Structures are given as C-alpha cells and as structure tokens.
Amino acid sequence: MRIKISTIVFTLFLGSCAFNQKLSLFDTCQFPINSPYPGGVLSIDIKNIDFDSNTKLNTEGLASSICKYSLYQSKIFIPIPLDFKSEKVEVKQGGALLNSNKIFDKNYRESRITISNNDYVSPGEELQPRIRREYRLSQEAKNTYTPIKLKDWAMIEPAKGQISSEFGVRRFINNQPRNRHSGMDIAAPEGSEVSAPLSGEIIIASNFFYKGNVIYINHGGGLVSSYSHLSQIKIKNGDKVKKGDLIGLIGQTGRVTGPHLHWEVYLMGVAINPEIFLNGSI
Ligand SMILES: [Zn+2]
C-alpha cells in the first residue's frame, strides 16, 4: 500500500513539472534580467544544448520557461515565488545536474494603509460569490500560455508617474496583515494614459470588486500582465494590442486610497517584479 501511494504522488509530481515548463522561440532573450531573489526571475544562460519542446527539465518543482534564440543558445527563466525559502535552485536534465544557482534574500519593506470603507476591508457574505468568481477568472488569466514566436520581452513603462508602492511590500490594511503586494503602483492624476508595455492580446477587460476596472494582456510564452483601478477601459476583450497602444486611463475604481495604476506581471502563473522587464526606464 505504501508503494502504491508514493507511486501516485511521484506521478502527480512529474505531471505538474511537465505542465509547468514551456519552450518558446524568441529573437532575443535579454528580458527579464537575471534577478535571482523571491519575486524575481532566475535567468540561466545555456549554450551548446539544442532544447526542443520535448526537453524535460527538473527545476525542483518550480515552473520554468525556456527562451530559445538560436539553435544552440537558450536561457532558462525560472520565476521565483515571493514566499520561496530555499537558498539555491538546481536544474537537472535526465538526472544530470545542469547547474546550481544561488537565490538571494531581498528585504521588502512594510506598508501600512488605512481604508475607511469597511466593504473593502471585510466584504459581506453577499459579495463573496462575486469575489470568488473574479478570483477564479484572475487565476485562469495569469496561467494563460500561448505558443507563439516572440521578438523579445523588453517592456516600456505603461504609465508616467511616481512609484507609490513597489512590488513585494508586506502590507497591512487597518493593521491587519494582508497578502504581499503582487504588483507595482504608479501614482498619476486621474485620466492619465495607460498603454500596453508590450504587444499581446486582451484576455480580460472587465470590472472586478477589488481591482475595479481591470485589463489582462496575454503576451504569449507564459507572460501575462494586468492593469487595475482604471477610470476608463479603451479596448475590449479579444483585441490585439501593440507596444505603446492606449489601453485605458488611470483612475481610483475598486479598493484604492487614491488614483494610481496597479501593474502586475506573471510568468508561468508566478507574480514577479515588473521592473525586471524595463531597461532602467523607471
Ligand atoms: Zn497595488
């Protein structure tokens, strides 16, 4: 009986590894920049190995995305979850150790905010079905993967403004500990333009309870981004957008303390710091 259970667990583990690793073809693989800390992306240069879509890497249960830019040149991108505890990640192929990588600590600051509208602090029972439905839609959206040939993942900033809250901060709302900040906040006056930082397809253009007016863009290859609290949405579901296209206007819809853009970036379903896709422009 003991053998049977461990066989099932092992099969499930293998299954989830295979599901969480993808290979995409790119022109260049400069972004995301190597940022081996929780909330960043470990980027590993691989030369002289011809990866293909059957390549199976063991990345200690973490999701990974192979960015292949020539026959024998690739990068393995491993998004490191914010709650990751280990100090290293080993990459194996067929049992052989490909390399071992150190994961650094990052000290994220604390942020304490006060929200007076109690609906947004402890939403009532009648709001729960809506919140659960929108949570499910967000989960599906951020795990979207489309296998397309990609140029690169260099982004431009989606809005001009001041970073009012960085990615990863430990948040307290009315002194209660909440989830880590899964995006970057850019504060700007209501009505300021929000543009697509990278080309992609709109997979959600809707109004959510916490996020207010919200857009999700699928950039392909397991990369998805979202834009919350907009005053207006300027595109619709299914639209294709190019880098720099207007998608909405900054606002203060949903759970906010003032007008700002909440910008999230997900790689293989893992929330990561949007800054690592920018060439020092923020
Ligand atoms: Zn935010």
Short mmCIF file of all heavy atoms in Angstrom, two decimals, residues 165 171 181-185 229 260-263, ligand 1:
data_model
loop_
_atom_site.label_atom_id
_atom_site.label_comp_id
_atom_site.label_asym_id
_atom_site.label_seq_id
_atom_site.Cartn_x
_atom_site.Cartn_y
_atom_site.Cartn_z
N SER A 165 4.12 52.48 -4.58
CA SER A 165 4.33 51.26 -3.80
C SER A 165 5.02 50.24 -4.69
O SER A 165 4.51 49.90 -5.76
CB SER A 165 3.00 50.72 -3.26
OG SER A 165 3.23 49.55 -2.52
N ARG A 171 2.15 44.15 3.28
CA ARG A 171 1.09 45.13 3.51
C ARG A 171 0.23 44.83 4.73
O ARG A 171 -0.06 43.67 5.05
CB ARG A 171 0.18 45.20 2.28
CG ARG A 171 0.90 45.75 1.07
CD ARG A 171 -0.03 45.85 -0.09
NE ARG A 171 -0.74 44.59 -0.28
CZ ARG A 171 -1.79 44.45 -1.08
NH1 ARG A 171 -2.25 45.49 -1.73
NH2 ARG A 171 -2.36 43.28 -1.24
N HIS A 181 2.35 42.63 -1.70
CA HIS A 181 1.94 43.45 -2.84
C HIS A 181 2.42 42.78 -4.13
O HIS A 181 3.62 42.72 -4.38
CB HIS A 181 2.52 44.86 -2.70
CG HIS A 181 1.95 45.84 -3.64
ND1 HIS A 181 2.71 46.77 -4.30
CD2 HIS A 181 0.68 46.04 -4.06
CE1 HIS A 181 1.92 47.49 -5.07
NE2 HIS A 181 0.69 47.07 -4.94
N SER A 182 1.47 42.31 -4.95
CA SER A 182 1.81 41.47 -6.10
C SER A 182 2.04 42.28 -7.37
O SER A 182 2.12 41.71 -8.45
CB SER A 182 0.70 40.45 -6.33
OG SER A 182 -0.52 41.15 -6.50
N GLY A 183 2.13 43.60 -7.23
CA GLY A 183 2.36 44.44 -8.41
C GLY A 183 3.12 45.69 -8.04
O GLY A 183 3.64 45.81 -6.94
N MET A 184 3.20 46.61 -8.99
CA MET A 184 3.85 47.90 -8.77
C MET A 184 2.77 48.98 -8.93
O MET A 184 1.97 48.91 -9.86
CB MET A 184 4.93 48.10 -9.84
CG MET A 184 5.60 49.46 -9.79
SD MET A 184 6.40 49.84 -11.37
CE MET A 184 7.83 48.80 -11.24
N ASP A 185 2.75 49.94 -7.99
CA ASP A 185 1.78 51.04 -8.09
C ASP A 185 2.44 52.26 -8.69
O ASP A 185 3.49 52.70 -8.22
CB ASP A 185 1.24 51.40 -6.70
CG ASP A 185 0.31 50.33 -6.15
OD1 ASP A 185 -0.08 49.43 -6.91
OD2 ASP A 185 -0.04 50.42 -4.96
N HIS A 229 -7.70 49.38 -11.38
CA HIS A 229 -8.21 50.65 -10.83
C HIS A 229 -8.41 51.72 -11.90
O HIS A 229 -8.40 52.92 -11.59
CB HIS A 229 -7.30 51.18 -9.71
CG HIS A 229 -6.95 50.15 -8.68
ND1 HIS A 229 -7.89 49.38 -8.05
CD2 HIS A 229 -5.74 49.73 -8.18
CE1 HIS A 229 -7.30 48.54 -7.21
NE2 HIS A 229 -5.99 48.73 -7.27
N HIS A 260 -4.27 55.65 -9.02
CA HIS A 260 -2.99 55.03 -9.39
C HIS A 260 -3.24 53.83 -10.28
O HIS A 260 -4.36 53.32 -10.35
CB HIS A 260 -2.18 54.62 -8.16
CG HIS A 260 -2.69 53.40 -7.45
ND1 HIS A 260 -3.73 53.43 -6.55
CD2 HIS A 260 -2.31 52.10 -7.51
CE1 HIS A 260 -3.95 52.22 -6.09
NE2 HIS A 260 -3.11 51.38 -6.66
N LEU A 261 -2.17 53.39 -10.96
CA LEU A 261 -2.22 52.15 -11.72
C LEU A 261 -1.57 51.06 -10.89
O LEU A 261 -0.46 51.23 -10.38
CB LEU A 261 -1.45 52.31 -13.04
CG LEU A 261 -1.24 51.01 -13.84
CD1 LEU A 261 -2.56 50.49 -14.40
CD2 LEU A 261 -0.23 51.22 -14.95
N HIS A 262 -2.26 49.94 -10.72
CA HIS A 262 -1.64 48.75 -10.10
C HIS A 262 -1.31 47.81 -11.25
O HIS A 262 -2.19 47.31 -11.94
CB HIS A 262 -2.63 48.11 -9.11
CG HIS A 262 -2.16 46.81 -8.54
ND1 HIS A 262 -1.29 46.72 -7.48
CD2 HIS A 262 -2.45 45.53 -8.90
CE1 HIS A 262 -1.06 45.43 -7.22
NE2 HIS A 262 -1.75 44.70 -8.07
N TRP A 263 0.01 47.62 -11.45
CA TRP A 263 0.51 46.86 -12.60
C TRP A 263 1.11 45.54 -12.13
O TRP A 263 2.03 45.54 -11.30
CB TRP A 263 1.57 47.72 -13.31
CG TRP A 263 2.27 47.08 -14.46
CD1 TRP A 263 1.77 46.12 -15.29
CD2 TRP A 263 3.60 47.36 -14.91
NE1 TRP A 263 2.71 45.80 -16.25
CE2 TRP A 263 3.84 46.54 -16.04
CE3 TRP A 263 4.61 48.24 -14.49
CZ2 TRP A 263 5.04 46.56 -16.73
CZ3 TRP A 263 5.80 48.26 -15.19
CH2 TRP A 263 6.02 47.43 -16.30
ZN ZN B 1 -1.02 47.97 -5.93
#
